[in-house]
Amino acid sequence: MSGIIGVRPDMNSGVVGAYPVGHVIQTVWKQNEAQSMNSVGDGSTYTSSEVTDAITTRETNSKILLRGTSFGVHSQNGTLGMVWWQRAIGGGATSQLEESKLVDNYYNRASGDVSQYEPLILEYMDSPGVAAGTTITYSARYKRASGSNSFYYVHTGHGVLVVLQEISA
């Protein structure tokens, strides 16, 4: 019996097989203190310069589990912010991932002009349908959804974390 992951017991030892379904093939991540602020005071949509990273797939048609955390999120009084994922395959055009469906909303729970900074975790399971060896860049997108004040997705000096995991399909 082989002890190699992805090899069936009836295969010869040392023969590379497919990963089992749901197996984590690889993990890439970055964690740092935000060097810039990602905020919006109008209805426009922006790409985060801090919550972004790339992964090069090792298996064809694998899934990618995305986890992004910003530890310095807040909205000014009466303002609602929205955040979702965007992907670019091989440096090409971008695709919005569930912009109109899967959106994390953040509403200021403080009163008046008091800023209350909180973490916001953004997770999504993507099925990009690409060949092995394809580089995919994922970035958080954000906008002010309602209200007349600013939404701050990343605040300078607060932590940010991005984890991308390739999972066999």
Side-chain angles (χ1 to χ4, degrees), residues 39-98:
S39 65
V40 57
D42 57 24
S44 299
T45 301
Y46 297 92
T47 302
S48 174
S49 59
E50 297 284 344
V51 182
T52 186
D53 207 350
I55 188 167
T56 301
T57 58
R58 293 185 182 166
E59 187 175 275
T60 298
N61 293 327
S62 55
K63 297 182 179 298
I64 309 293
L65 177 60
L66 318 172
R67 292 184 186 123
T69 304
S70 172
F71 293 93
V73 178
H74 83 278
S75 288
Q76 293 176 329
N77 195 26
T79 299
L80 176 68
M82 299 174 76
V83 184
W84 64 93
W85 286 105
Q86 164 184 282
R87 99 174 146 222
I89 297 174
T94 58
S95 299
Q96 305 306 304
L97 302 178
E98 302 292 338

Side-chain angles (χ1 to χ4, degrees), residues 18 28 36 41 49 61-62 86 103 122 142 165:
V28 297
S36 64
S49 59
N61 293 327
S62 55
Q86 164 184 282
V103 178
L122 182 63
Y142 61 97
Q165 288 186 310

Side-chain angles (χ1 to χ4, degrees), residues 8-24:
R8 297 185 320 264
D10 62 338
M11 296 177 88
N12 293 327
S13 190
V15 176
V16 178
Y19 291 106
V21 173
H23 176 81
V24 175

Side-chain angles (χ1 to χ4, degrees), residues 29-38 48-52 67-73 120 153-163:
W29 62 279
K30 74 173 189 178
Q31 178 177 334
N32 61 317
E33 182 178 297
Q35 300 301 305
S36 64
M37 188 174 337
N38 294 168
S48 174
S49 59
E50 297 284 344
V51 182
T52 186
R67 292 184 186 123
T69 304
S70 172
F71 293 93
V73 178
L120 179 64
Y153 177 53
V154 174
H155 223 285
T156 306
H158 285 80
V160 294
L161 171 66
V162 180
V163 179

Side-chain angles (χ1 to χ4, degrees), residues 15 19 34 39 60 73 99 101-102 121 125 135 152 157 162 164:
V15 176
Y19 291 106
S39 65
T60 298
V73 178
E99 176 183 2
K101 298 176 189 169
L102 180 75
I121 300 167
M125 179 69 81
T135 300
Y152 296 84
V162 180
L164 306 175

